Amino acid sequence: MADLKTMKGISEKDQKLIAEAESLLGPEPGTMGAVKNLFWGNLRQELYFPYPDIASERPEETAECDRLLAELEDYLRNEHPAPQIDAEQETPRWVIDRLFELGVLGMTIPKEYGGRGMGITSYNRVLELLGKYCGSTAVIVSAHMSIGCGAIKLFGSDDQKKAWLPHLSKDWLSAFCLSEPNVGCDAGGQETTCRLSEDGEHYILNGEKKWATSGAISSLFTVMARQKLADGKEKVTALVCTPDMEGVDIFEKNRSKCGIRGTWQARIRFTDVRVPKFNRLGAEGKGLNIALTCLNYGRCTLSAGMLGGARRAMDQGVKWSQTRFQFQRPLAEFDLVRKKIAHMNAMCYAMDSVLYMTTGMLDRSDEDIMLETAICKVFCSEMGWRVVNDAMQIMGGESYMSENEMERIFRDSRINLIVEGANEVMQSFIFAYGGKQLAEKMLAVQESVGWDGEQGFFKNLSRIFKGMMNARVRRAAVPLGLEIFLHMRRRAPRLTSIHASLRAHAARLCDAIREHSHQFKQASKRYQERIVSAQAVQARVADNAVWLHAWACSLSRLDHEIRRGGEGPEFDRHKAAAEHVFSLAELEIQKNIAELYRNADQTMEAAAVAALRHVETLPNSDFIIPERSPVAKGTGRTPRRSGIRLFPGDAYADQSKH
């Protein structure tokens, strides 16, 4: 297989970027997952069909989860102080204690350590319900369960689990320290460091972490730190710290923010902190693997919380459209309002389908899951935000009034497009990781039988002749050449595991999958090495992969509902929503393909350059500048904080207080 880093014309910076990404992600899994196959024009129907059915596979767990949901909803509806949490920017300690008491904060911890031992699907059902009532609470629970104690549950030794998990299931909150002032989506760029002490019994930890959700009220947090290993390479190691360790300074508990105001994001400074060797999670240098694995779970729970909020907003918006009259008739009779209602219904169905397809894949331990969880996050955060926006528009001015709760859902939702990997970063990741193996195959064929302008005529001829004499190369080169140069598309995949009534929809999906693969190849040929940095092009291809996956998940779910004998108003609503998903997905895919050939990229670049040149003339002192900017540190204006609630830090925040 060819190496993309050696592709001619690729810059040194891009070579380094690819190498770092490969090191970060590790070796490719043994088998390609559902989404990677879409880039090849394949549909691995056994990964999509039948739709995951945890209720049938784990009836006892499902029954326990149903009981928990009933008890939790009663609490959320009648006791939970969501408006107060938002207004006061603080979640009372009694709320956290109540969640521990209900078993919510120990859902996935094994029963032997005091938890409920639930699977990922059950866990996300609970997060969806929390998101319906309070975005802040959903984030607190997710941060604790998915990435806080999740790291210990997945990677801790038996002794570590015995020491920490019983507390984490009953009375300790946990936090995850990955982001830094200079590290956001670039998780591999850790500046916090650790080194083994001379006696080999401790790690000496130094650095600073930012955005550690619940960090100021947690009894334990996992810290990612860069370590120089014995072979001279620097990699990230995961260490478990407690806030009472000497040298740990929680110097900022929280900052006032737009949404999820009841969550607290701490800033923590580590100065020569001696972390016992016992507290290392996993092997040295495997910290990023731990972080990325935990993010697979966190991206699902983020999506679940978003789905809950979007569903609540949709139902409120639809009810408003039926009861709000203008021009002597309800809003629901107006075509453009109906368009929003249909869109909300379709997107909530698709989000639900994508989320629980993904949790089903995690529950059955699919090997190659990283793209699927990334798409789950991108799709649910983006479409959930659009659903809430539609509901806001339907409610009009009343949606802006705090007591109606819509504006709180609106504010709480916006962060989801940024955290757990900004959606723009995820688009490039979906394109690059999804198409990497296919791109390497194409490059290998080109290096064997493609014309090289830097080589002479006879050298080209000799190499191409030799390549075509190789049966393996020939088998790959001929169909690829026919498709790229003569546009002879490969045969579309066939979906046989489908209910007879859905065959026409399945055929449309399969045609779209074939076209997606064809357009990836065409874009790779047209842009050559420039594709590595052409993010606008990458985003169009990635978005099509996202829509194809959402389409396949929705089709599988509808197939499942039909086979269960679906009938009645709820089934009719689901069927109409699913069919609208198929139509919207097809239109979006066609639009993105058209924009691969006709777009505003050139004028976009010119307009961006002009704006950048203009703002360069404006003094930094008029603007907020990143605190660790390598080019402008210390030159920006100090933001005004008068009237903004401040949260001073403590060297140690007592767990019994908030």
Side-chain angles (χ1 to χ4, degrees), residues 45-56:
Q45 57 183 312
E46 75 278 9
L47 297 181
Y48 286 109
F49 294 85
Y51 193 77
D53 185 4
I54 297 300
S56 298

Side-chain angles (χ1 to χ4, degrees), residues 83 159 303 394-395 424 487 508 513 554-555:
D159 287 340
S303 302
I394 289 172
M395 280 192 72
E424 292 78 9
H487 299 275
R508 290 165 62 197
I513 291 170
S554 300
L555 183 62

Side-chain angles (χ1 to χ4, degrees), residues 287-531:
L288 279 181
N289 176 256
I290 292 172
L292 292 174
T293 301
C294 290
L295 284 174
N296 284 336
Y297 297 93
R299 285 169 179 158
C300 286
T301 50
L302 177 152
S303 302
M306 182 71 259
L307 174 59
R311 274 212 169 108
R312 186 172 179 118
M314 174 183 71
D315 290 344
Q316 174 61 64
V318 172
K319 182 63 73 174
W320 190 270
S321 76
Q322 294 170 320
T323 56
R324 167 67 167 165
F325 278 63
Q326 289 287 275
F327 307 104
Q328 294 81 52
R329 49 182 173 160
L331 296 181
E333 288 188 9
F334 291 96
D335 212 35
L336 291 179
V337 174
R338 284 175 175 260
K339 182 179 180 182
K340 293 187 186 301
I341 292 170
H343 179 259
M344 292 190 294
N345 190 27
M347 290 305 100
C348 282
Y349 186 88
M351 290 163 63
D352 188 301
S353 303
V354 170
L355 171 62
Y356 292 110
M357 175 68 78
T358 311
T359 63
M361 290 174 170
L362 286 166
D363 272 327
R364 70 189 184 208
S365 301
D366 281 12
E367 181 185 17
D368 191 9
I369 195 69
M370 203 174 292
L371 281 168
E372 288 71 16
T373 58
I375 285 180
C376 184
K377 185 270 175 182
V378 170
F379 187 81
C380 291
S381 64
E382 179 62 41
M383 299 309 150
W385 167 252
R386 294 184 191 182
V387 167
V388 175
N389 196 50
D390 283 342
M392 290 279 290
Q393 192 69 15
I394 289 172
M395 280 192 72
E398 282 293 337
S399 71
Y400 242 58
M401 302 300 107
S402 295
E403 67 266 22
N404 291 330
E405 298 187 4
M406 188 71 79
E407 61 87 27
R408 173 161 54 84
I409 299 174
F410 184 78
R411 289 186 288 104
D412 287 349
S413 298
R414 187 59 183 85
I415 191 64
N416 293 326
L417 284 76
I418 299 169
V419 295
E420 307 278 6
N423 283 5
E424 292 78 9
V425 174
M426 291 292 97
Q427 284 173 309
S428 289
F429 170 69
I430 291 163
F431 173 87
Y433 194 51
K436 180 175 182 288
Q437 288 168 289
L438 176 55
E440 287 174 339
K441 177 186 175 182
M442 293 171 63
L443 183 59
V445 169
Q446 180 180 327
E447 289 177 348
S448 296
V449 298
W451 192 268
D452 187 341
E454 295 181 7
Q455 291 184 353
F457 177 81
F458 291 106
K459 194 170 183 179
N460 265 302
L461 204 62
S462 172
R463 177 177 47 79
I464 293 170
F465 180 78
K466 182 180 178 181
M468 290 306 291
M469 289 299 103
N470 184 312
R472 182 180 57 82
V473 173
R474 190 166 60 249
R475 281 195 301 270
V478 172
L480 189 61
L482 291 173
E483 182 167 4
I484 288 178
F485 296 104
L486 299 180
H487 299 275
M488 294 176 63
R489 291 158 174 77
R490 55 170 289 169
R491 181 180 298 175
R494 292 186 62 217
L495 179 49
T496 56
S497 304
I498 193 75
H499 191 270
S501 65
L502 298 176
R503 284 175 186 161
H505 295 303
R508 290 165 62 197
L509 170 63
C510 291
D511 286 344
I513 291 170
R514 172 177 63 178
E515 193 63 22
H516 170 65
S517 180
H518 178 72
Q519 295 301 335
F520 175 83
K521 294 165 190 168
Q522 291 294 336
S524 299
K525 168 182 169 287
R526 189 179 321 117
Y527 287 91
Q528 297 289 324
E529 70 277 358
R530 288 180 295 135
I531 196 75

Side-chain angles (χ1 to χ4, degrees), residues 41 88 94 196 210 278 281 292 317 396 451-452 467 564 602 650:
E88 297 182 1
W94 71 262
L196 202 58
K210 190 177 182 180
F278 174 83
L281 273 187
L292 292 174
W451 192 268
D452 187 341
R564 286 196 311 175
Q602 285 188 332
D650 294 321

